[in-house]
Amino acid sequence: MKEILSTPVFALLISLLAFEIGIFVNKKTRLAVLNPLMLAILIVIGILIVFKIPLEDYKKGGDFISLFLTPATVILAVPLYKNIHSLKKDYAAIIGGVIVGCITAILSIWLMGKAFGLSPELLASLIPKSITTPLGIELSNQLGGIPSVTVAAIVITGIVGAVLAPALLKVLSIKDKTAKGIAIGTSAHALGTTKAVELGETEGAMSGLAIGLAGLVTVIIATILSRVGLF
């Protein structure tokens, strides 16, 4: 039994199964707080604890999933292509909104990191919190951060964004569909986009568009700031 639990195939299977369970629960309950990815993480952690599976053994299978993250980044070109007409029409507002959102996300982390005395390594790990996982991991490595911490920050940011986005948009009286999508995609990446899709087709499309743009802008800004020694 121990040999089976320590195999990469077992780790891969429980990861996929946990995510499928998360999707099922989320669809049945329709509750944003029961995000599929969050539920999958909790299920996997529970299995590792109950069966006393070392993290090193689980990573053998988890690395197979991570292997496809970087190639999956290419998919971000799809929403960009499908919504190229919207980008051409409102390019100034869209690009401007994404740039401001990315600067705000990076600046807020930098200021709080300095205020709480975070190490440069941990600070670099949190900088990519608002972009999609494949880009976030690569940027974290480039900045000298800890990829596992980056992934955790990205997941938490996405879940919080998906849960709070509808209420915040309502409180701030943001009614424009394009603005809603760009705001959600820029701040909460793919997980937030799942909520944007529920708000409407335009919101979902714009959020998907923002994911790719926000990732590109964040990488450029973070790289420049890193070169000048800010973190």
Side-chain angles (χ1 to χ4, degrees), residues 71-200:
T73 307
V74 178
I75 297 176
L76 295 176
V78 176
L80 282 171
Y81 176 75
K82 288 185 176 180
N83 296 282
I84 192 67
H85 60 285
S86 297
L87 181 59
K88 290 179 178 179
K89 178 183 177 182
D90 302 311
Y91 71 93
I94 292 174
I95 295 177
V98 170
I99 292 175
V100 171
C102 292
I103 291 175
T104 301
I106 294 174
L107 184 61
S108 63
I109 286 296
W110 186 82
L111 291 175
M112 287 190 289
K114 292 299 181 180
F116 289 101
L118 298 183
S119 66
E121 186 180 35
L122 190 55
L123 184 59
S125 304
L126 298 176
I127 289 295
K129 71 175 183 62
S130 293
I131 61 177
T132 191
T133 305
L135 289 176
I137 291 176
E138 291 301 319
L139 180 57
S140 180
N141 283 322
Q142 178 181 320
L143 299 177
I146 307 170
S148 57
V149 174
T150 301
V151 172
I154 290 174
V155 171
I156 293 173
T157 299
I159 292 174
V160 172
V163 172
L164 298 182
L168 285 175
L169 292 173
K170 187 174 182 179
V171 170
L172 297 174
S173 298
I174 299 177
K175 299 179 180 179
D176 184 83
K177 295 182 178 180
T178 297
K180 288 181 180 180
I182 294 299
I184 295 175
T186 301
S187 61
H189 51 81
L191 290 178
T193 299
T194 60
K195 175 55 64 175
V197 171
E198 294 179 12
L199 297 178

